[in-house]
Amino acid sequence: MDRTLILLKPDCIHRRLVGEILTKFERKGLRLVALKLIQADKALAEKHYEVHKERPFYGSLVSFLTSSPTVALVLEGREAVVVARNLIGATDGTKAAPGTIRGDFAISIQNNLVHGSDSNENAAKEIALWFTPGELTSFTPIDTPWVAGS
Ligand code: IDP
Ligand code: MG
């Protein structure tokens, strides 16, 4: 089982899409390990998007992520990183395929509603950035053999 860090970014909260988007991840079969509503400070946002610090949109991106609360969650399941990225869709909402979260709900590049880790290695780093070990739960949902059978 793999884990991924998902952020429902400030635009998702403002647009009241939290429930609808969480449902998409749950329905797919990914399970919740951790979940919280948090207003990221500048240090957290800068660290989270550190890989983009030389990009022209970095300042705007950090302002966006610190502007309002974010829902941070950790999801677990088979190939969780790839499964979540496929559900989220391409970065630019205008290019994201219909049926994906961004394809259905976004038309912006920056305000694209959701973040999903792009590798297992980055997922581990991002989970440690947003959550303390004590906030991560450990349990086996009773439907696991039905959902995750390989
Ligand atoms: P991803 O979220 O699909 O992995 P990344 O390339 O990692 O996309 O970019 C991180 C975030 O930075 C995007 O989700 C989006 O919010 C923002 N972003 C990416 N490219 C641009 C751009 O060209 N202009 C403005 N914002 C951008
Ligand atoms: Mg990325």
Side-chain angles (χ1 to χ4, degrees):
M1 290 290 172
D2 297 324
R3 287 182 173 185
T4 188
L5 178 89
I6 301 295
L7 301 178
L8 308 185
K9 299 196 257 191
D11 52 335
C12 193
I13 283 63
H14 278 279
R15 294 177 57 192
R16 301 176 183 84
L17 289 170
V18 171
E20 192 153 359
I21 290 175
L22 257 184
T23 297
K24 285 187 169 271
F25 290 113
E26 285 199 295
R27 223 167 41 190
K28 179 68 176 167
L30 297 170
R31 78 160 184 89
L32 276 169
V33 171
L35 174 71
K36 65 182 171 188
L37 183 66
I38 172 176
Q39 177 128 14
D41 61 18
K42 198 155 177 267
L44 175 59
E46 284 182 347
K47 185 88 186 137
H48 177 77
Y49 279 130
E50 196 170 32
V51 67
H52 297 303
K53 67 170 179 280
E54 305 303 334
R55 309 282 286 276
F57 57 81
Y58 181 66
S60 166
L61 185 57
V62 168
S63 298
F64 165 57
L65 193 62
T66 53
S67 64
S68 302
T70 290
V71 174
L73 51 142
V74 177
L75 295 175
E76 186 175 270
R78 288 189 62 226
E79 306 284 344
V81 166
V82 174
V83 166
R85 296 275 294 185
N86 286 341
L87 284 176
I88 292 167
T91 306
D92 181 346
T94 65
K95 300 190 173 62
T100 64
I101 293 165
R102 288 167 175 168
D104 285 352
F105 298 111
I107 203 167
S108 167
I109 304 180
Q110 176 184 271
N111 301 355
N112 57 9
L113 298 164
V114 191
H115 165 83
S117 307
D118 62 8
S119 66
N120 285 344
E121 191 190 343
N122 284 336
K125 283 187 199 156
E126 291 172 0
I127 290 167
L129 186 61
W130 287 83
F131 290 93
T132 62
E135 290 175 317
L136 306 174
T137 64
S138 179
F139 68 99
T140 304
I142 55 169
D143 62 359
T144 296
W146 299 100
V147 173
S150 50

